[in-house]
Amino acid sequence: MKDDGEEHGESARRGPTSADKVLAVLSLFSAERPVWSPEGAARRLRVSLATGYRYFNTLVAAGMLEKLHRNRYVLGPAIVELDRKVRAADPVLKLAQPVMERLLRRLREPAAILLCRYYRQKVMCIHQETNRSGEPVSSYERGTLQPMFRGATSKVILAHLPPRIIVNLWRDHRREIAATGMGPSFEDFKAALRALRREPVNVATSEVDEGRTGIAAPIFDANGRVNGSLSIVLLSPPAGTRAVARLAIAVQAAAREIERSRGVTSDKGSKK
Amino acid sequence: MKDDGEEHGESARRGPTSADKVLAVLSLFSAERPVWSPEGAARRLRVSLATGYRYFNTLVAAGMLEKLHRNRYVLGPAIVELDRKVRAADPVLKLAQPVMERLLRRLREPAAILLCRYYRQKVMCIHQETNRSGEPVSSYERGTLQPMFRGATSKVILAHLPPRIIVNLWRDHRREIAATGMGPSFEDFKAALRALRREPVNVATSEVDEGRTGIAAPIFDANGRVNGSLSIVLLSPPAGTRAVARLAIAVQAAAREIERSRGVTSDKGSKK
DNA sequence: ACCTATTTATCACATTGTGAGAATTAGGCG
DNA sequence: CGCCTAATTCTCACAATGTGATAAATAGGT
């Protein structure tokens, strides 16, 4: 499977490589099931018990897994270390963070600012800033995924995705798309996207967290492709149309600011 | 190499496995060199160019790498997703975070609270809370490593590490230990550790960040082993001995609080 | 539409990953 | 303190697959 839902799986003459299966162990771990044993993983991956132990040992050696107890392994500290490197290397994050802080400081009401991006037919949160430390304003924190068709943050990205990906999304999520009202046919879907594209921001309520309202603007890269989105999430419904309009202008301005400062550290730089 | 500096490498009859080398690609990426090409990695890992491409492809397929451009790959979104799972699954973090927030709220001065743990002969920051959003109080953020012998946060953990690990540390870092004044001999080192252990907290200045003072207390697990440390980092030198004493009591209390609430979600729970 | 650097495919060979089972270790419980 | 069983490693033989060298194809930039 490629980075989006390409390749229906036609000419795959060779099976998954050994390293593929070792890496597949990592994706067994989830919030619901954060602890695995070599035995359980071996059964799940259809390999022998001995191989299960071998996989776990190489992952432990790499720090990607950690032995908690006898038969209990969890995701390891190497992941924490790697994520630090991801943060340090992410140019968009580096540019966006101060902008997000400034935007948040202008808001009086309880709110969160989100920076998100496309990833494998979903949208992932890259960073969240909030002005409420106690109760979380949004559950949509770094590393969390949301479906492509729910929430302002997702939809504003969806609207600007390149046609190739749109086709794949339609192919793989027809049912879900229809359920969210973007029409039963591909033409309806494209029309819905065109409509979304006409608005500079997207506003949606209770699509990610109950009672929360998201106001999202797209962020484009130097080539005019969507890079992600910037959103304001409000704890309580906004006072009125004027309040929403004010916030919509603010997110847009912030998104433009991120785009503007982009040029400096852009990837189009030195080629060799 | 095991999880600390064990195994001098004596009976390793088999070389590194394929998956080992694929995972080794990830550790090439660093803050100084966050972008790699299959060619560069292949040269570095002493494999052919074709194999370099193969490794990169399996890592991209797993989302652990992402193709930025033609010849430029960076660490990928799967790492961000995995780190989210690590955070969600970490019982210590879950217990500590509210305690850290409460502790921070009691402080008037610019400060940060750190939660750290032992990892491969170093100490890694797991979480930081700070009351200064603009300028960072401490550079020691999540995923960052510090040497075992510098900083209050590290030393308070070092003091309580099990003998086996202490021996390995001495074996692998004799030079560095001597440089930090913990004596030229192993006996001196052990004496220094005993002295550290006598104090309930450790205080150190300018050992991690210039001008910052750290005040750290150990956190023990249900079996009495060091699990990590909790630290207050002050932006400016503390007013006087009384101020330090007050803060020392506060971190200790917070550490005890984390230990107390531990019982509920401890790993000693349900066995099968 | 070119042109070159990048990336994939081909293929033959040997390395090594694999499963089954034996041997060992380690932890919990009496 | 030492058993006892589950967990983990070891051994080994075999075939699968990872590998390098080279050719073919692809994709970006000009």
Side-chain angles (χ1 to χ4, degrees):
Chain A
M1 132 177 47
K2 267 195 177 170
D3 74 345
D4 44 11
E6 281 192 70
E7 298 296 310
H8 250 310
E10 36 202 343
S11 64
R13 58 185 84 270
R14 282 242 176 164
T17 181
S18 167
D20 284 334
K21 291 191 277 181
V22 171
L23 289 169
V25 170
L26 295 178
S27 44
L28 293 177
F29 292 76
S30 67
E32 299 79 43
R33 198 153 168 11
V35 180
W36 283 80
S37 67
E39 194 193 341
R43 221 176 313 121
R44 192 63 142 38
L45 299 177
R46 313 301 198 92
V47 296
S48 75
L49 182 57
T51 299
Y53 276 102
R54 277 188 279 252
Y55 287 179
F56 271 55
N57 283 337
T58 73
L59 287 168
V60 167
M64 304 293 284
L65 288 185
E66 189 173 32
K67 189 178 191 164
L68 255 199
H69 187 64
R70 245 307 189 140
N71 209 7
R72 306 161 62 88
Y73 290 76
V74 293
L75 293 173
I79 291 167
V80 180
E81 201 183 352
L82 286 171
D83 185 57
R84 167 83 212 313
K85 291 175 187 169
V86 173
R87 269 179 282 135
D90 188 338
V92 180
L93 175 57
K94 203 174 301 178
L95 300 172
Q97 190 164 357
V99 175
M100 293 168 76
E101 285 175 6
R102 228 172 303 137
L103 174 56
L104 187 62
R105 227 170 289 134
R106 282 214 255 133
L107 304 181
R108 294 291 198 74
E109 53 272 72
I113 314 290
L114 306 180
L115 177 67
C116 299
R117 56 160 283 180
Y118 175 79
Y119 174 56
R120 303 202 165 184
Q121 313 206 102
K122 301 208 166 192
V123 172
M124 179 185 277
C125 177
I126 295 304
H127 186 63
Q128 173 174 157
E129 292 276 345
T130 181
N131 54 11
R132 278 297 180 279
S133 67
E135 249 49 23
V137 176
S138 170
S139 68
Y140 202 176
E141 57 173 299
R142 167 167 250 254
T144 315
L145 294 169
Q146 283 291 326
M148 202 71 242
F149 315 103
R150 292 189 64 77
T153 301
S154 288
K155 285 194 278 189
V156 87
I157 292 176
L158 171 62
H160 296 280
L161 250 22
R164 203 177 45 83
I165 294 184
I166 295 296
V167 170
N168 290 336
L169 283 169
W170 175 254
R171 188 193 62 205
D172 300 337
H173 300 277
R174 199 169 310 199
R175 194 70 56 81
E176 193 180 350
I177 290 169
T180 52
M182 301 204 236
S185 79
F186 186 45
E187 291 309 315
D188 297 326
F189 182 42
K190 284 194 289 187
L193 297 185
R194 232 175 292 124
L196 285 176
R197 234 175 288 136
R198 228 169 273 133
E199 301 294 327
V201 300
N202 192 281
V203 183
T205 299
S206 292
E207 295 194 4
V208 175
D209 287 309
E210 188 51 41
R212 311 299 198 269
T213 297
I215 304 169
I219 302 174
F220 297 97
D221 70 10
N223 307 314
R225 281 187 267 273
V226 239
N227 204 306
S229 68
L230 190 71
S231 328
I232 300 178
V233 177
L234 298 171
L235 181 64
S236 328
T241 320
R242 298 203 42 135
V244 174
R246 185 178 63 86
L247 295 168
I249 291 186
V251 244
Q252 279 178 76
R256 285 307 99 65
E257 196 181 342
I258 294 168
E259 289 170 357
R260 241 180 299 118
S261 52
R262 150 173 40 65
V264 194
T265 14
S266 171
D267 44 291
K268 69 170 181 185
S270 59
K271 51 182 65 173
K272 174 59 185 307
Chain B
M1 135 175 49
K2 268 195 178 172
D3 74 345
D4 44 8
E6 281 191 70
E7 297 296 309
H8 249 311
E10 36 202 343
S11 64
R13 60 186 84 268
R14 282 240 176 164
T17 182
S18 167
D20 284 334
K21 291 192 277 182
V22 172
L23 289 169
V25 170
L26 295 178
S27 46
L28 293 176
F29 291 77
S30 68
E32 299 79 42
R33 199 151 168 15
V35 181
W36 283 80
S37 67
E39 193 192 342
R43 222 178 309 123
R44 192 62 142 40
L45 298 177
R46 311 305 196 93
V47 296
S48 74
L49 181 58
T51 299
Y53 276 102
R54 277 188 279 252
Y55 287 179
F56 271 55
N57 283 338
T58 73
L59 287 168
V60 168
M64 305 293 284
L65 288 184
E66 188 173 33
K67 190 177 190 167
L68 256 198
H69 187 66
R70 254 292 196 142
N71 209 8
R72 307 160 64 88
Y73 290 77
V74 292
L75 294 174
I79 291 167
V80 180
E81 202 183 352
L82 286 170
D83 186 57
R84 167 80 212 315
K85 292 176 186 168
V86 173
R87 268 179 283 135
D90 188 338
V92 180
L93 175 58
K94 203 174 302 181
L95 299 172
Q97 191 164 355
V99 175
M100 292 169 75
E101 285 175 7
R102 229 172 301 139
L103 174 56
L104 187 63
R105 228 170 288 134
R106 281 216 256 133
L107 304 180
R108 294 292 199 74
E109 53 272 70
I113 313 292
L114 307 181
L115 176 68
C116 299
R117 56 161 284 182
Y118 174 80
Y119 175 57
R120 304 206 165 180
Q121 313 205 105
K122 300 209 167 191
V123 173
M124 179 186 277
C125 177
I126 294 303
H127 186 63
Q128 173 174 155
E129 292 275 347
T130 181
N131 54 12
R132 278 296 181 279
S133 67
E135 249 49 22
V137 176
S138 171
S139 68
Y140 202 176
E141 57 173 298
R142 166 167 250 252
T144 316
L145 294 168
Q146 283 291 323
M148 202 71 243
F149 316 102
R150 293 189 64 78
T153 300
S154 287
K155 284 194 278 190
V156 87
I157 291 176
L158 172 62
H160 297 279
L161 251 20
R164 203 177 45 81
I165 293 183
I166 295 296
V167 171
N168 291 336
L169 283 169
W170 175 254
R171 187 193 65 205
D172 300 335
H173 300 278
R174 198 169 309 200
R175 195 69 57 82
E176 193 181 350
I177 291 169
T180 52
M182 301 204 235
S185 79
F186 187 45
E187 292 309 315
D188 297 325
F189 182 42
K190 284 193 289 186
L193 296 184
R194 231 174 292 124
L196 285 176
R197 234 174 287 137
R198 229 169 272 133
E199 302 295 329
V201 300
N202 193 281
V203 183
T205 300
S206 293
E207 295 194 3
V208 175
D209 288 308
E210 188 53 39
R212 312 298 197 270
T213 297
I215 303 168
I219 302 175
F220 297 97
D221 70 10
N223 307 314
R225 280 189 268 273
V226 238
N227 205 305
S229 68
L230 190 72
S231 328
I232 300 178
V233 177
L234 298 171
L235 181 65
S236 328
T241 320
R242 300 204 38 139
V244 174
R246 184 177 63 87
L247 296 168
I249 291 187
V251 244
Q252 278 178 77
R256 286 307 97 68
E257 196 180 343
I258 294 168
E259 288 169 359
R260 242 179 299 119
S261 51
R262 151 172 41 64
V264 194
T265 13
S266 172
D267 43 291
K268 69 169 179 185
S270 59
K271 52 182 62 172
K272 177 53 189 309

